[in-house]
Short mmCIF file of all heavy atoms in Angstrom, two decimals:
data_model
loop_
_atom_site.label_atom_id
_atom_site.label_comp_id
_atom_site.label_asym_id
_atom_site.label_seq_id
_atom_site.Cartn_x
_atom_site.Cartn_y
_atom_site.Cartn_z
N ASN A 1 -0.87 -29.11 6.47
CA ASN A 1 -1.36 -28.99 5.10
C ASN A 1 -2.17 -27.72 4.88
O ASN A 1 -3.11 -27.70 4.08
CB ASN A 1 -2.20 -30.21 4.70
CG ASN A 1 -1.42 -31.51 4.78
OD1 ASN A 1 -0.23 -31.54 4.44
ND2 ASN A 1 -2.07 -32.57 5.26
N GLU A 2 -1.84 -26.65 5.57
CA GLU A 2 -2.50 -25.36 5.36
C GLU A 2 -1.74 -24.48 4.37
O GLU A 2 -2.19 -23.38 4.06
CB GLU A 2 -2.62 -24.61 6.70
CG GLU A 2 -3.43 -25.33 7.76
CD GLU A 2 -4.90 -25.36 7.43
OE1 GLU A 2 -5.47 -24.29 7.16
OE2 GLU A 2 -5.48 -26.45 7.41
N GLY A 3 -0.55 -24.93 3.91
CA GLY A 3 0.28 -24.11 3.04
C GLY A 3 1.13 -23.13 3.82
O GLY A 3 1.58 -22.11 3.28
N LYS A 4 1.37 -23.44 5.08
CA LYS A 4 2.09 -22.53 5.97
C LYS A 4 3.55 -22.36 5.55
O LYS A 4 4.07 -21.23 5.47
CB LYS A 4 1.99 -23.07 7.39
CG LYS A 4 2.93 -22.49 8.40
CD LYS A 4 2.72 -23.10 9.75
CE LYS A 4 2.82 -24.61 9.71
NZ LYS A 4 4.18 -25.07 9.33
N THR A 5 4.25 -23.47 5.23
CA THR A 5 5.69 -23.39 4.91
C THR A 5 5.90 -22.62 3.61
O THR A 5 6.82 -21.78 3.51
CB THR A 5 6.26 -24.81 4.79
OG1 THR A 5 6.06 -25.49 6.03
CG2 THR A 5 7.74 -24.77 4.47
N THR A 6 5.07 -22.88 2.60
CA THR A 6 5.20 -22.13 1.34
C THR A 6 4.91 -20.65 1.56
O THR A 6 5.59 -19.78 1.01
CB THR A 6 4.24 -22.71 0.30
OG1 THR A 6 4.50 -24.10 0.13
CG2 THR A 6 4.39 -22.01 -1.03
N THR A 7 3.92 -20.38 2.37
CA THR A 7 3.56 -18.98 2.63
C THR A 7 4.69 -18.24 3.34
O THR A 7 5.05 -17.11 2.98
CB THR A 7 2.27 -18.92 3.46
OG1 THR A 7 1.22 -19.57 2.74
CG2 THR A 7 1.87 -17.50 3.75
N VAL A 8 5.25 -18.85 4.37
CA VAL A 8 6.31 -18.18 5.12
C VAL A 8 7.55 -18.01 4.27
O VAL A 8 8.27 -17.00 4.37
CB VAL A 8 6.60 -18.94 6.43
CG1 VAL A 8 7.30 -20.26 6.15
CG2 VAL A 8 7.45 -18.10 7.37
N SER A 9 7.85 -18.97 3.38
CA SER A 9 9.03 -18.85 2.51
C SER A 9 8.84 -17.71 1.51
O SER A 9 9.75 -16.90 1.30
CB SER A 9 9.26 -20.17 1.78
OG SER A 9 9.48 -21.23 2.70
N ASN A 10 7.65 -17.65 0.87
CA ASN A 10 7.40 -16.57 -0.08
C ASN A 10 7.37 -15.21 0.61
O ASN A 10 7.79 -14.20 0.02
CB ASN A 10 6.08 -16.82 -0.81
CG ASN A 10 6.19 -17.92 -1.83
OD1 ASN A 10 7.25 -18.12 -2.43
ND2 ASN A 10 5.09 -18.65 -2.03
N LEU A 11 6.87 -15.16 1.84
CA LEU A 11 6.88 -13.90 2.58
C LEU A 11 8.31 -13.45 2.84
O LEU A 11 8.65 -12.25 2.68
CB LEU A 11 6.12 -14.07 3.91
CG LEU A 11 6.17 -12.88 4.86
CD1 LEU A 11 5.54 -11.64 4.22
CD2 LEU A 11 5.46 -13.21 6.18
N ALA A 12 9.19 -14.38 3.23
CA ALA A 12 10.59 -14.01 3.47
C ALA A 12 11.25 -13.52 2.20
O ALA A 12 12.02 -12.53 2.21
CB ALA A 12 11.32 -15.22 4.04
N ILE A 13 10.99 -14.19 1.08
CA ILE A 13 11.57 -13.75 -0.20
C ILE A 13 11.08 -12.35 -0.54
O ILE A 13 11.85 -11.49 -0.97
CB ILE A 13 11.21 -14.75 -1.31
CG1 ILE A 13 11.88 -16.10 -1.05
CG2 ILE A 13 11.60 -14.22 -2.68
CD1 ILE A 13 11.45 -17.20 -1.99
N THR A 14 9.78 -12.11 -0.37
CA THR A 14 9.22 -10.80 -0.71
C THR A 14 9.80 -9.71 0.17
O THR A 14 10.10 -8.60 -0.31
CB THR A 14 7.69 -10.84 -0.55
OG1 THR A 14 7.17 -11.92 -1.32
CG2 THR A 14 7.07 -9.55 -1.04
N MET A 15 9.98 -9.97 1.45
CA MET A 15 10.58 -8.98 2.35
C MET A 15 12.02 -8.68 1.93
O MET A 15 12.46 -7.53 1.97
CB MET A 15 10.54 -9.50 3.79
CG MET A 15 9.14 -9.74 4.34
SD MET A 15 8.22 -8.24 4.63
CE MET A 15 8.99 -7.67 6.13
N ALA A 16 12.76 -9.74 1.52
CA ALA A 16 14.14 -9.52 1.07
C ALA A 16 14.18 -8.74 -0.22
O ALA A 16 15.06 -7.87 -0.41
CB ALA A 16 14.83 -10.87 0.91
N LEU A 17 13.24 -9.02 -1.15
CA LEU A 17 13.20 -8.27 -2.40
C LEU A 17 12.87 -6.81 -2.17
O LEU A 17 13.18 -5.95 -3.01
CB LEU A 17 12.17 -8.89 -3.34
CG LEU A 17 12.50 -10.30 -3.88
CD1 LEU A 17 11.34 -10.83 -4.73
CD2 LEU A 17 13.79 -10.26 -4.71
N GLY A 18 12.30 -6.50 -1.04
CA GLY A 18 12.00 -5.11 -0.70
C GLY A 18 13.20 -4.38 -0.13
O GLY A 18 13.07 -3.20 0.26
N GLY A 19 14.35 -5.04 -0.03
CA GLY A 19 15.56 -4.38 0.44
C GLY A 19 15.89 -4.64 1.89
O GLY A 19 16.83 -4.03 2.42
N SER A 20 15.18 -5.50 2.56
CA SER A 20 15.44 -5.79 3.98
C SER A 20 16.35 -7.00 4.10
O SER A 20 16.38 -7.88 3.23
CB SER A 20 14.12 -6.06 4.71
OG SER A 20 13.25 -4.97 4.61
N ARG A 21 17.10 -7.04 5.21
CA ARG A 21 17.91 -8.20 5.53
C ARG A 21 17.01 -9.14 6.34
O ARG A 21 16.57 -8.82 7.44
CB ARG A 21 19.16 -7.81 6.32
CG ARG A 21 20.11 -6.91 5.52
CD ARG A 21 21.42 -6.65 6.30
NE ARG A 21 22.26 -7.83 6.34
CZ ARG A 21 22.46 -8.58 7.43
NH1 ARG A 21 21.86 -8.26 8.57
NH2 ARG A 21 23.26 -9.65 7.40
N VAL A 22 16.79 -10.34 5.78
CA VAL A 22 15.79 -11.25 6.34
C VAL A 22 16.45 -12.59 6.63
O VAL A 22 17.23 -13.11 5.81
CB VAL A 22 14.61 -11.45 5.37
CG1 VAL A 22 13.58 -12.37 5.98
CG2 VAL A 22 13.99 -10.11 5.00
N LEU A 23 16.10 -13.14 7.79
CA LEU A 23 16.52 -14.49 8.16
C LEU A 23 15.27 -15.35 8.28
O LEU A 23 14.37 -15.06 9.08
CB LEU A 23 17.29 -14.49 9.48
CG LEU A 23 17.68 -15.88 10.01
CD1 LEU A 23 18.61 -16.59 9.04
CD2 LEU A 23 18.31 -15.77 11.39
N LEU A 24 15.22 -16.42 7.46
CA LEU A 24 14.10 -17.35 7.51
C LEU A 24 14.54 -18.56 8.33
O LEU A 24 15.49 -19.25 7.97
CB LEU A 24 13.70 -17.79 6.10
CG LEU A 24 12.63 -18.87 6.01
CD1 LEU A 24 11.34 -18.43 6.68
CD2 LEU A 24 12.38 -19.25 4.55
N VAL A 25 13.85 -18.82 9.44
CA VAL A 25 14.20 -19.89 10.36
C VAL A 25 13.10 -20.95 10.32
O VAL A 25 11.91 -20.63 10.46
CB VAL A 25 14.38 -19.37 11.79
CG1 VAL A 25 14.79 -20.51 12.72
CG2 VAL A 25 15.40 -18.25 11.83
N ASP A 26 13.50 -22.21 10.10
CA ASP A 26 12.54 -23.32 10.12
C ASP A 26 12.35 -23.75 11.57
O ASP A 26 13.17 -24.48 12.14
CB ASP A 26 13.07 -24.49 9.28
CG ASP A 26 11.99 -25.55 9.06
OD1 ASP A 26 10.95 -25.49 9.76
OD2 ASP A 26 12.18 -26.43 8.20
N GLY A 27 11.27 -23.25 12.22
CA GLY A 27 11.00 -23.54 13.62
C GLY A 27 10.18 -24.80 13.83
O GLY A 27 9.87 -25.14 14.98
N ASP A 28 9.79 -25.49 12.76
CA ASP A 28 9.08 -26.76 12.90
C ASP A 28 10.13 -27.85 13.05
O ASP A 28 10.62 -28.42 12.05
CB ASP A 28 8.20 -27.01 11.68
CG ASP A 28 7.32 -28.24 11.85
OD1 ASP A 28 7.47 -28.94 12.87
OD2 ASP A 28 6.49 -28.48 10.96
N LEU A 29 10.54 -28.11 14.30
CA LEU A 29 11.66 -29.03 14.56
C LEU A 29 11.28 -30.49 14.39
O LEU A 29 12.12 -31.37 14.57
CB LEU A 29 12.19 -28.79 15.97
CG LEU A 29 12.66 -27.35 16.27
CD1 LEU A 29 13.24 -27.26 17.66
CD2 LEU A 29 13.65 -26.88 15.23
N ARG A 30 10.01 -30.76 14.09
CA ARG A 30 9.59 -32.14 13.92
C ARG A 30 9.52 -32.52 12.44
O ARG A 30 10.05 -33.55 12.02
CB ARG A 30 8.23 -32.37 14.59
CG ARG A 30 8.25 -32.09 16.09
CD ARG A 30 6.85 -32.16 16.68
NE ARG A 30 6.82 -31.77 18.08
CZ ARG A 30 6.96 -32.62 19.10
NH1 ARG A 30 7.16 -33.90 18.85
NH2 ARG A 30 6.91 -32.19 20.35
N ARG A 31 8.82 -31.68 11.63
CA ARG A 31 8.63 -32.04 10.22
C ARG A 31 8.83 -30.83 9.31
O ARG A 31 8.15 -30.69 8.30
CB ARG A 31 7.23 -32.62 10.00
CG ARG A 31 6.99 -33.90 10.78
CD ARG A 31 5.64 -34.48 10.44
NE ARG A 31 5.55 -34.80 9.03
CZ ARG A 31 4.46 -35.28 8.43
NH1 ARG A 31 3.37 -35.46 9.15
NH2 ARG A 31 4.45 -35.55 7.14
N GLY A 32 9.72 -29.93 9.69
CA GLY A 32 9.94 -28.74 8.89
C GLY A 32 10.44 -29.07 7.49
O GLY A 32 11.23 -30.00 7.30
N GLY A 33 10.03 -28.27 6.51
CA GLY A 33 10.41 -28.54 5.13
C GLY A 33 10.91 -27.33 4.39
O GLY A 33 10.87 -27.31 3.15
N VAL A 34 11.40 -26.30 5.09
CA VAL A 34 11.90 -25.10 4.42
C VAL A 34 13.11 -25.46 3.56
O VAL A 34 13.30 -24.94 2.45
CB VAL A 34 12.26 -24.02 5.46
CG1 VAL A 34 12.95 -22.85 4.80
CG2 VAL A 34 11.00 -23.57 6.19
#
């Protein structure tokens, strides 16, 4: 509940909007919510 998943998703979107090829991987294999 730190806002980690939302933060990492928005970071990936922002990096992609900057023209980079980005792969967002949900590494929380227990309760990931990407």
Side-chain angles (χ1 to χ4, degrees):
N1 300 322
E2 300 289 308
K4 166 180 55 64
T5 301
T6 303
T7 301
V8 71
S9 300
N10 286 329
L11 174 61
I13 294 172
T14 306
M15 298 290 284
L17 292 176
S20 301
R21 296 185 72 252
V22 181
L23 175 62
L24 174 60
V25 182
D26 191 347
D28 187 355
L29 302 184
R30 300 173 185 269
R31 298 185 60 183
V34 173

